[in-house]
Amino acid sequence: MTGFWPAGHQSAAAFTFDVDAESAVLWGAPENARRMSVMSHQAYGPLVGVPRILSLLADHGITATFFVPGFTAERYPQVVREIVAAGHEIGHHGYLHEQPSAQSRDEQIAALDRGLDVLAEIAGVRPVGYRAPMWDLSWELPELLLERGFLYDSSLMDADRPYELAVAGTPSSSATSGAQAASSLVEIPIQWALDDWEQYCYLPDISGAGYIATPEQARALWEAEFDGLHEVGGCWVLTNHPFLSGRPARAASLGRLMARIVATPGVWVAPLREIAEHTRSLGLEPRSVQPI
Ligand SMILES: [Zn+2]
C-alpha cells in the first residue's frame, strides 16, 4: 500500500454526516408524517445536531463531507447554507432519501436530478460526490452519476481504500487515452460498523430494537476500525447522522475521537472530495464489478 496516499501519510480518515432529517423516515412510508414525535426526532438533526457538529469540526480543524437530501435542503435551507459557509463539502443523498435499488431507472433519474436542482438552487452547489440512501446503490446508478459529471460514490463495501469503479456502458479506460475520467467513478468504501445508526437509532415500529449503545461503546468500535484500517493503509470513513450523533454526550465522545485521529501520525484527514481527487490522480486501472 506504500505510495497510495499523499507523501507522509499511511492512511486516510474522513468524517461524514448524512443530514437525513425527516426524509429518512418518509420515503416509502409517508404516513410517518402524521407522527409528530417521530418528526421531531428527525428534526433534531438540522435544528440542534448540525450546529453542534459544525462547532466540533471547527474546534478540531476538520473539513467534513455532509450528504444532504434535497428535501432536507428545502426544509432547512439556512442550515445547509451554514454548512457550505463553514467550508464543508456537500454531497448528493437523493431527494427524499429514496432507496435506489427499489426504484425503476426513471425514478432514480428523477430523484438524482431533483436533488441536484434543489442543492443548486438553495445552496449554490453542484456536488461531485454521491452516497446512496441506505447505502443501497443500484447497478444502474454509477452510469447515471457519471453522465451527470459526478467524480465519486461512497456506498459500496468491497475494499479497504478507494478505487476506480468501471462503469458499464462507457468506453473502457484502454480504448482511448484520457478516457478514464469518463469511464469510471472513484468509489470510497464504507461499512456498517462505521455508522452511528446501528449504535444509536431507536424509533418504535420504524428502526432499531430498543437497544441504544453508550457513546463510549460506539467510540470503541470506531476506534478499533480506525486502528485496523490505519495499520493496512486503508481509508476510514465514519458516517454519522446529526439527529443521532448531534446529542450532547455523543457529540462530546465524537470530539474525543476526532482529537485522537487528528493527533495520530501519518493519517490524512480530509473530506471525501479531496480523497476522491487524490485517488483519481493516481491513474488506477478501473475495477469491473459484474451484476449477479
Ligand atoms: Zn441517509
Side-chain angles (χ1 to χ4, degrees):
M1 300 239 175
T2 307
F4 189 92
W5 298 111
H9 300 99
Q10 77 173 66
S11 74
F15 291 86
T16 72
F17 300 88
D18 293 1
V19 194
D20 296 347
E22 294 92 341
S23 68
V25 297
L26 290 176
W27 186 78
E31 65 277 11
N32 282 332
R34 292 173 51 82
R35 301 176 67 181
M36 189 174 182
S37 294
V38 169
M39 292 299 101
S40 74
H41 180 267
Q42 302 304 111
Y44 185 91
L47 294 179
V48 184
V50 170
R52 180 170 288 134
I53 287 165
L54 289 178
S55 159
L56 208 53
L57 290 166
D59 289 348
H60 295 281
I62 293 170
T63 304
T65 301
F66 289 76
F67 289 97
V68 181
F71 187 79
T72 298
E74 285 178 339
R75 204 165 155 76
Y76 305 98
Q78 197 51 38
V79 174
V80 178
R81 290 181 195 127
E82 282 163 15
I83 295 169
V84 174
H88 300 291
E89 177 191 4
I90 299 285
H92 194 298
H93 199 44
Y95 172 73
L96 190 64
H97 209 263
E98 301 89 348
Q99 184 178 1
S101 67
Q103 291 190 299
S104 69
R105 184 184 175 90
D106 285 347
E107 289 169 338
Q108 292 176 64
I109 289 172
L112 207 47
D113 289 343
R114 193 172 179 190
L116 282 173
D117 288 347
V118 171
L119 291 176
E121 184 185 332
I122 288 177
V125 297
R126 171 84 188 188
V128 300
Y130 175 83
R131 171 170 286 162
M134 288 166 264
W135 284 342
D136 205 357
L137 199 67
S138 71
W139 294 99
E140 299 86 20
L141 249 180
E143 184 180 356
L144 301 177
L145 293 172
L146 206 57
E147 286 172 1
R148 284 156 183 78
F150 281 85
L151 168 64
Y152 75 89
D153 168 72
S154 182
S155 315
L156 300 179
M157 315 187 190
D158 51 3
D160 291 328
R161 61 178 186 177
Y163 62 92
E164 293 279 355
L165 172 68
V167 175
T170 56
S172 92
S173 64
S174 56
T176 54
S177 64
Q180 181 178 315
S183 66
S184 62
L185 278 177
V186 172
E187 174 59 37
I188 305 178
I190 45 72
Q191 53 136 323
W192 289 110
L194 287 174
D195 186 348
D196 63 353
W197 194 292
E198 295 65 39
Q199 310 304 318
Y200 295 147
C201 194
Y202 175 58
L203 277 170
D205 311 320
I206 295 175
S207 184
Y211 170 78
I212 295 174
T214 68
E216 289 69 30
Q217 288 169 326
R219 181 155 50 94
L221 173 62
W222 301 336
E223 280 199 52
E225 294 295 327
F226 170 75
D227 290 340
L229 283 163
H230 183 57
E231 180 71 26
V232 302
C235 185
W236 179 91
V237 179
L238 183 66
T239 297
N240 283 347
H241 298 78
F243 69 85
L244 296 168
S245 285
R247 302 244 171 216
R250 298 168 184 174
S253 182
L254 180 60
R256 290 192 280 278
L257 179 62
M258 288 175 177
R260 199 218 135 178
I261 288 177
V262 167
T264 301
V267 180
W268 181 38
V269 181
L272 295 187
R273 178 181 189 143
E274 289 182 21
I275 290 173
E277 287 170 346
H278 170 73
T279 303
R280 175 56 50 87
S281 78
L282 297 174
L284 303 172
E285 185 67 24
R287 180 200 294 183
S288 177
V289 181
Q290 299 300 327
I292 305 293

